[in-house]
Structure formats: structure tokens, C-alpha cells
Amino acid sequence: VFGSFLGGQLSDRIGTIRTQFFSLLLSALFFVLLERVQTVNSMIVFIFFLAVIAESFRPANASAVSYFSTDETRTRAFALNRLAINLGMVIGPSLGGFLALENYSYLFYFDAATCFFAALFMLYFFDMKKTKKMDAIQKREGSRSKLSILKDKKFLIILSFTLPFALIFFQLFSSYPLFLKKELLLNESFIGLL
């Protein structure tokens, strides 16, 4: 929640491309640092900040997809973006299970590497100087919309249904694998494939 809010704020202030770039770069750093954390309290703090930083990517990404697509291609652009995310959700846990079976540290380093190389890809693909023009256009278009989301009843209704769904759905990536490991004694590679 904090990450999404931060990502939206940063997108408005520094632009969507820069927000995504820094989110990826800082996520890479935090994954490497998280692997070295020794105490539970430190882990809680690091995971919180990693989640905030990593999740700030999403609103910036959605805004960039919207900006780079036309009215005719926007639905297809978001569908392709969602397809890429879903593909990552299939490949990531499967590969993660095999990495964890070998060495849990590999999970952190692999996650850091993918974030770092994605940030480099963005740096290569988008000229940061040229994105200033895009950022100015986005700010101008964003300032036209004075409707606060807290006044948007349809949005709030959808959000009230989405939040409980998300809380249940994300158990598939947190509590459920722990249950499979601890109670059913399945190994990491099988859990990842499952």
C-alpha cells in the first residue's frame, strides 16, 4: 500500500521512467542487503522497505503503459503487460524453487540481478534526458484531473472488493508454500513448480 502511494507520488514528481528505474535499482540493492540480515527485527525492517521500494514500480509502470499506448492500443498494451507479469509469476517461483533447493542465498542474488538488469535495460531503452518532455506532458495531463480518488465511489467499491481478494490471493506466495514445506514436507523445487 505504501509502495503504491509512493510510486504514484514519485511518478508525478520525477516521472514514470525515473520512478521505475530507481525502484528497480534500489530493489536490487535491498535484495543483496536482505540476504545478509541476521536478526528478525532487521529482517522485518528490510522487508518493509524492500516492499515499499519494489511496489513503487507498479503505478509508474501502469502510467507509462498508458502514456506509450494510443486509445486504440491501450487495451492490448495493458493485456500484454499483464501477460508478461503472469509469465514472470509462472517462471519466477518455478526457478526459485530450484534455486532454493540448491542454496537460499541464490534467491536474493538472482532477484537482485533481474532487478539490476531490468534497470539497465530501462536506462538503455529510454534516454533519461528525453523523458523530461514526456514527464512534462504527463504532469500537465495529470493536473487536468482534479477528481480525488476518495470521491470516486465506483473506484472505492471496486477497491473494497479487490483488497480482501488480494489478501487471500497473496497467501499463495507466502503462507501456502510454508504450509507445503512444514506440514506436507515437500521440497522447494516441487513447491516452486506447484
Side-chain angles (χ1 to χ4, degrees):
V1 172
F2 291 122
S4 293
F5 180 76
L6 176 66
Q9 293 295 316
L10 287 174
S11 292
D12 289 344
R13 290 203 170 99
I14 66 171
T16 60
I17 302 303
R18 285 182 183 81
T19 300
Q20 291 175 88
F21 172 76
F22 287 118
S23 171
L24 290 166
L25 200 60
L26 289 172
S27 292
L29 175 66
F30 267 77
F31 274 119
V32 170
L33 294 175
L34 182 60
E35 194 275 332
R36 301 183 188 306
V37 171
Q38 299 295 321
T39 67
V40 172
N41 289 339
S42 304
M43 191 176 297
I44 290 168
V45 170
F46 264 84
I47 289 173
F48 173 78
F49 283 109
L50 173 60
V52 169
I53 291 165
E55 286 301 312
S56 67
F57 181 89
R58 290 180 192 266
N61 182 256
S63 182
V65 169
S66 181
Y67 175 80
F68 284 109
S69 58
T70 64
D71 288 341
E72 295 80 27
T73 62
R74 190 158 294 122
T75 301
R76 190 173 352 148
F78 273 102
L80 288 171
N81 191 38
R82 187 74 228 168
L83 182 65
I85 291 167
N86 288 343
L87 185 60
M89 299 281 276
V90 169
I91 294 171
S94 301
L95 180 59
F98 288 107
L99 291 171
L101 193 58
E102 191 65 34
N103 185 334
Y104 269 93
S105 293
Y106 292 167
L107 292 171
F108 298 98
Y109 294 125
F110 192 81
D111 242 339
T114 58
C115 289
F116 180 75
F117 286 115
L120 287 182
F121 176 79
M122 289 197 74
L123 195 60
Y124 172 78
F125 192 72
F126 296 99
D127 181 348
M128 293 297 179
K129 291 177 184 175
K130 289 182 181 176
T131 60
K132 286 184 180 183
K133 180 181 177 185
M134 181 186 81
D135 295 339
I137 293 169
Q138 286 178 323
K139 282 182 185 178
R140 190 170 55 246
E141 289 175 356
S143 67
R144 289 182 199 153
S145 172
K146 299 292 182 187
L147 178 66
S148 170
I149 60 168
L150 298 177
K151 295 177 183 174
D152 187 342
K153 290 181 182 174
K154 290 179 183 176
F155 174 77
L156 293 175
I157 290 169
I158 290 170
L159 188 63
S160 71
F161 286 108
T162 304
L163 185 61
F165 170 78
L167 291 174
I168 294 167
F169 177 74
F170 280 104
Q171 298 306 307
L172 287 173
F173 307 106
S174 56
S175 304
Y176 183 61
L178 294 174
F179 169 78
L180 295 175
K181 175 74 176 164
K182 189 173 180 179
E183 300 298 324
L184 300 182
L185 307 175
L186 299 175
N187 71 26
E188 289 83 350
S189 61
F190 187 79
I191 294 170
L193 289 173
L194 186 61

